[in-house]
């Protein structure tokens, strides 16, 4: 295993032209290529406006044109590409919020379908129902690289601490979260959530958002960030389009887990619901 890994976060703008969004991702990949990142991440629905009316229109099956473009980018730039998320249509016509991962040869090595759909109604704030058009996934996703084992979830999934906990117990040292918090939940919980997951599970957490567009129907919070296993924010963008490369030292995970043995000190014999 290699201790150092360079992570590029692409906080791209999203428009209503799928092809343009895919081209923009390629342009941002080119921007960071001189820094030689090992792993590149993007935001939730980076190629599709975050709107229920758009998900069915933009959806493609696995292996179709958008998938092929993403695979080609990973191969062209020689990176692990966690390509944000895209709307995926299966053979039965169901639509998922899906995150693909490609290795530096362009091969798909992981896939996560959003498990917890974003159905909220905050008084005086955001209201949204992904379940009006999307189907929930049913897997917790962890995959291997020569750097470390990596966990993956999508936005609202990260609010459920069991997702990150299981990934960490299965050996993940790094947790990727393509996301699109909004102007209600972003200021309140974005940083808090990522720092909580990082501290509780003693791993690096990488939250990558789309850029904010106040002319769009959905206003993303932005502020893509990386938090280390001690809970320190080591990289954070603002709301604008940006691309940033951050090198992390995975040895910090083992060091913190050894010094503060939260995971090994767990009492599984007690963590069950007591029924009357």
């Amino acid at each position: 295993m290699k201790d150092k890994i360079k992570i590029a976060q692409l906080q791209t703008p999203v428009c209503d032209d799928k092809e343009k969004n895919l081209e923009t991702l390629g342009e941002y990949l080119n921007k960071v290529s001189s820094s030689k990142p090992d792993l590149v991440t993007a935001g939730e629905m980076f190629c599709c406006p975050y709107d229920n009316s758009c998900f069915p229109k933009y959806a493609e099956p696995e292996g179709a044109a958008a998938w092929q473009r993403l695979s080609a980018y990973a191969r062209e730039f020689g990176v692990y590409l966690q390509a944000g998320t895209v709307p995926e249509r299966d053979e039965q016509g169901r639509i998922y919020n899906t995150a693909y991962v490609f290795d530096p040869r362009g091969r798909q090595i992981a896939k996560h379908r959003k498990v917890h759909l974003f159905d909220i109604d905050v008084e005086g704030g955001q209201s949204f129902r992904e379940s009006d058009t999307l189907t929930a996934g049913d897997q917790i996703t962890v995959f291997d690289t020569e750097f470390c084992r990596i966990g993956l979830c999508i936005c609202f999934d990260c609010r459920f601490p069991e997702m990150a906990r299981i990934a960490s117990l299965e050996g993940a040292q790094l947790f990727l979260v393509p996301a699109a918090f909004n102007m209600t939940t972003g200021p309140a919980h974005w940083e808090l959530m990522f720092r909580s997951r990082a501290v509780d599970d003693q791993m690096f957490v990488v939250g990558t958002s789309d850029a904010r567009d106040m002319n769009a129907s959905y206003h993303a919070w932005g502020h893509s960030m990386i938090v280390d296993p001690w809970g320190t924010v080591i990289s954070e963008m603002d709301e604008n389009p940006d691309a940033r490369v951050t090198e992390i030292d995975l040895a910090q995970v083992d060091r913190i887990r050894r010094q503060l043995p939260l995971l090994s000190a767990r009492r599984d014999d007690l963590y069950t619901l007591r029924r009357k």
Side-chain angles (χ1 to χ4, degrees), residues 29 33 36-40 71-81 102-106 146-147:
L29 275 160
S33 62
K36 301 188 182 304
D38 303 297
L39 169 68
V40 179
S71 171
Y73 281 153
R75 183 170 58 253
E76 176 184 353
F77 291 98
V79 296
Y80 285 95
L81 177 60
F102 301 91
D103 73 8
R105 295 173 61 183
E146 68 268 30
F147 299 96

Short mmCIF file of all heavy atoms in Angstrom, two decimals, residues 29 33 36-40 71-81 102-106 146-147:
data_model
loop_
_atom_site.label_atom_id
_atom_site.label_comp_id
_atom_site.label_asym_id
_atom_site.label_seq_id
_atom_site.Cartn_x
_atom_site.Cartn_y
_atom_site.Cartn_z
N LEU A 29 -10.58 18.17 -15.58
CA LEU A 29 -9.56 17.12 -15.46
C LEU A 29 -8.25 17.58 -16.08
O LEU A 29 -7.16 17.34 -15.52
CB LEU A 29 -10.05 15.85 -16.16
CG LEU A 29 -10.95 14.92 -15.33
CD1 LEU A 29 -11.74 14.00 -16.24
CD2 LEU A 29 -10.11 14.11 -14.35
N SER A 33 -4.40 18.07 -14.34
CA SER A 33 -3.54 16.97 -14.78
C SER A 33 -2.06 17.23 -14.49
O SER A 33 -1.31 16.30 -14.21
CB SER A 33 -3.75 16.70 -16.27
OG SER A 33 -3.40 17.84 -17.05
N LYS A 36 -0.77 15.85 -11.35
CA LYS A 36 -0.70 14.38 -11.32
C LYS A 36 -1.49 13.77 -10.16
O LYS A 36 -0.95 13.06 -9.30
CB LYS A 36 0.75 13.91 -11.28
CG LYS A 36 1.58 14.38 -12.47
CD LYS A 36 2.96 13.75 -12.49
CE LYS A 36 3.77 14.27 -13.67
NZ LYS A 36 3.09 14.05 -14.97
N PRO A 37 -2.80 14.03 -10.11
CA PRO A 37 -3.60 13.42 -9.05
C PRO A 37 -3.71 11.91 -9.26
O PRO A 37 -3.62 11.40 -10.40
CB PRO A 37 -4.97 14.09 -9.23
CG PRO A 37 -5.02 14.47 -10.67
CD PRO A 37 -3.61 14.84 -11.03
N ASP A 38 -3.91 11.20 -8.17
CA ASP A 38 -4.13 9.76 -8.23
C ASP A 38 -5.62 9.43 -8.33
O ASP A 38 -6.01 8.46 -8.98
CB ASP A 38 -3.56 9.09 -6.98
CG ASP A 38 -2.10 9.39 -6.78
OD1 ASP A 38 -1.29 8.99 -7.64
OD2 ASP A 38 -1.75 10.04 -5.76
N LEU A 39 -6.43 10.25 -7.66
CA LEU A 39 -7.87 10.02 -7.54
C LEU A 39 -8.58 11.34 -7.81
O LEU A 39 -8.19 12.38 -7.27
CB LEU A 39 -8.21 9.51 -6.14
CG LEU A 39 -9.68 9.45 -5.73
CD1 LEU A 39 -10.42 8.40 -6.53
CD2 LEU A 39 -9.80 9.16 -4.23
N VAL A 40 -9.62 11.29 -8.65
CA VAL A 40 -10.39 12.49 -8.97
C VAL A 40 -11.85 12.24 -8.61
O VAL A 40 -12.40 11.17 -8.89
CB VAL A 40 -10.27 12.84 -10.47
CG1 VAL A 40 -11.11 14.07 -10.79
CG2 VAL A 40 -8.82 13.07 -10.86
N SER A 71 -15.35 6.61 -18.58
CA SER A 71 -14.31 5.57 -18.67
C SER A 71 -13.13 6.07 -19.48
O SER A 71 -11.96 5.85 -19.10
CB SER A 71 -14.91 4.31 -19.31
OG SER A 71 -13.90 3.37 -19.61
N ALA A 72 -13.42 6.76 -20.57
CA ALA A 72 -12.35 7.27 -21.43
C ALA A 72 -11.52 8.33 -20.70
O ALA A 72 -10.30 8.40 -20.86
CB ALA A 72 -12.94 7.84 -22.71
N TYR A 73 -12.18 9.18 -19.90
CA TYR A 73 -11.45 10.20 -19.13
C TYR A 73 -10.48 9.54 -18.15
O TYR A 73 -9.33 9.98 -18.00
CB TYR A 73 -12.43 11.08 -18.36
CG TYR A 73 -13.11 12.16 -19.17
CD1 TYR A 73 -14.36 12.63 -18.78
CD2 TYR A 73 -12.51 12.72 -20.29
CE1 TYR A 73 -15.00 13.63 -19.50
CE2 TYR A 73 -13.15 13.72 -21.02
CZ TYR A 73 -14.40 14.17 -20.62
OH TYR A 73 -15.03 15.16 -21.32
N ALA A 74 -10.96 8.52 -17.44
CA ALA A 74 -10.08 7.84 -16.47
C ALA A 74 -8.86 7.27 -17.17
O ALA A 74 -7.72 7.39 -16.69
CB ALA A 74 -10.86 6.73 -15.76
N ARG A 75 -9.08 6.68 -18.34
CA ARG A 75 -7.97 6.08 -19.10
C ARG A 75 -7.06 7.17 -19.66
O ARG A 75 -5.83 7.07 -19.59
CB ARG A 75 -8.55 5.22 -20.23
CG ARG A 75 -7.51 4.48 -21.05
CD ARG A 75 -8.18 3.47 -21.97
NE ARG A 75 -9.14 4.08 -22.88
CZ ARG A 75 -10.47 3.97 -22.76
NH1 ARG A 75 -10.99 3.27 -21.78
NH2 ARG A 75 -11.27 4.55 -23.63
N GLU A 76 -7.63 8.24 -20.21
CA GLU A 76 -6.84 9.32 -20.81
C GLU A 76 -5.93 10.00 -19.79
O GLU A 76 -4.75 10.27 -20.08
CB GLU A 76 -7.77 10.36 -21.43
CG GLU A 76 -7.05 11.57 -22.01
CD GLU A 76 -8.00 12.64 -22.53
OE1 GLU A 76 -9.23 12.39 -22.56
OE2 GLU A 76 -7.52 13.73 -22.90
N PHE A 77 -6.48 10.26 -18.60
CA PHE A 77 -5.71 10.99 -17.60
C PHE A 77 -4.99 10.07 -16.61
O PHE A 77 -4.26 10.54 -15.75
CB PHE A 77 -6.62 11.97 -16.86
CG PHE A 77 -7.09 13.11 -17.72
CD1 PHE A 77 -8.34 13.07 -18.32
CD2 PHE A 77 -6.27 14.20 -17.97
CE1 PHE A 77 -8.77 14.11 -19.14
CE2 PHE A 77 -6.68 15.24 -18.79
CZ PHE A 77 -7.94 15.20 -19.39
N GLY A 78 -5.23 8.77 -16.72
CA GLY A 78 -4.52 7.80 -15.89
C GLY A 78 -4.82 7.94 -14.41
O GLY A 78 -3.90 7.87 -13.58
N VAL A 79 -6.11 8.13 -14.08
CA VAL A 79 -6.52 8.35 -12.69
C VAL A 79 -7.63 7.40 -12.29
O VAL A 79 -8.35 6.86 -13.14
CB VAL A 79 -7.02 9.80 -12.48
CG1 VAL A 79 -5.90 10.79 -12.73
CG2 VAL A 79 -8.23 10.11 -13.37
N TYR A 80 -7.75 7.21 -10.98
CA TYR A 80 -9.00 6.65 -10.47
C TYR A 80 -10.03 7.79 -10.53
O TYR A 80 -9.81 8.87 -9.98
CB TYR A 80 -8.85 6.18 -9.02
CG TYR A 80 -8.08 4.89 -8.89
CD1 TYR A 80 -6.72 4.90 -8.62
CD2 TYR A 80 -8.73 3.67 -9.02
CE1 TYR A 80 -6.01 3.72 -8.50
CE2 TYR A 80 -8.04 2.48 -8.90
CZ TYR A 80 -6.68 2.51 -8.65
OH TYR A 80 -5.98 1.34 -8.53
N LEU A 81 -11.12 7.54 -11.23
CA LEU A 81 -12.14 8.57 -11.40
C LEU A 81 -13.42 8.15 -10.70
O LEU A 81 -14.08 7.20 -11.11
CB LEU A 81 -12.41 8.83 -12.88
CG LEU A 81 -13.51 9.84 -13.20
CD1 LEU A 81 -13.19 11.21 -12.61
CD2 LEU A 81 -13.72 9.94 -14.72
N PHE A 102 -13.98 4.35 -11.85
CA PHE A 102 -13.16 3.75 -12.90
C PHE A 102 -11.69 3.77 -12.46
O PHE A 102 -11.24 4.71 -11.80
CB PHE A 102 -13.30 4.52 -14.20
CG PHE A 102 -14.72 4.59 -14.71
CD1 PHE A 102 -15.54 5.64 -14.34
CD2 PHE A 102 -15.22 3.60 -15.54
CE1 PHE A 102 -16.85 5.71 -14.79
CE2 PHE A 102 -16.54 3.66 -15.99
CZ PHE A 102 -17.35 4.72 -15.62
N ASP A 103 -10.97 2.72 -12.85
CA ASP A 103 -9.54 2.69 -12.53
C ASP A 103 -8.76 3.40 -13.65
O ASP A 103 -9.35 3.83 -14.65
CB ASP A 103 -9.06 1.26 -12.28
CG ASP A 103 -8.96 0.41 -13.53
OD1 ASP A 103 -9.12 0.94 -14.66
OD2 ASP A 103 -8.71 -0.81 -13.41
N PRO A 104 -7.43 3.55 -13.50
CA PRO A 104 -6.66 4.31 -14.49
C PRO A 104 -6.64 3.68 -15.89
O PRO A 104 -6.19 4.34 -16.84
CB PRO A 104 -5.25 4.35 -13.88
CG PRO A 104 -5.48 4.26 -12.41
CD PRO A 104 -6.62 3.30 -12.27
N ARG A 105 -7.15 2.48 -16.03
CA ARG A 105 -7.26 1.86 -17.35
C ARG A 105 -8.67 2.01 -17.93
O ARG A 105 -8.96 1.50 -19.00
CB ARG A 105 -6.87 0.39 -17.28
CG ARG A 105 -5.41 0.17 -16.90
CD ARG A 105 -5.07 -1.29 -16.67
NE ARG A 105 -5.28 -2.11 -17.85
CZ ARG A 105 -5.12 -3.43 -17.88
NH1 ARG A 105 -4.73 -4.07 -16.77
NH2 ARG A 105 -5.34 -4.12 -18.97
N GLY A 106 -9.54 2.72 -17.18
CA GLY A 106 -10.89 2.95 -17.65
C GLY A 106 -11.87 1.85 -17.32
O GLY A 106 -13.01 1.87 -17.81
N GLU A 146 -4.50 0.40 -4.88
CA GLU A 146 -3.18 0.14 -4.33
C GLU A 146 -2.83 1.11 -3.21
O GLU A 146 -1.82 0.93 -2.53
CB GLU A 146 -2.10 0.23 -5.43
CG GLU A 146 -1.86 1.60 -6.01
CD GLU A 146 -2.73 1.87 -7.24
OE1 GLU A 146 -3.84 1.32 -7.32
OE2 GLU A 146 -2.27 2.62 -8.12
N PHE A 147 -3.65 2.12 -3.01
CA PHE A 147 -3.43 3.08 -1.92
C PHE A 147 -4.10 2.61 -0.64
O PHE A 147 -3.47 2.58 0.42
CB PHE A 147 -3.97 4.46 -2.31
CG PHE A 147 -3.30 5.03 -3.52
CD1 PHE A 147 -3.87 4.89 -4.78
CD2 PHE A 147 -2.09 5.70 -3.41
CE1 PHE A 147 -3.26 5.41 -5.90
CE2 PHE A 147 -1.46 6.22 -4.52
CZ PHE A 147 -2.05 6.07 -5.78
#
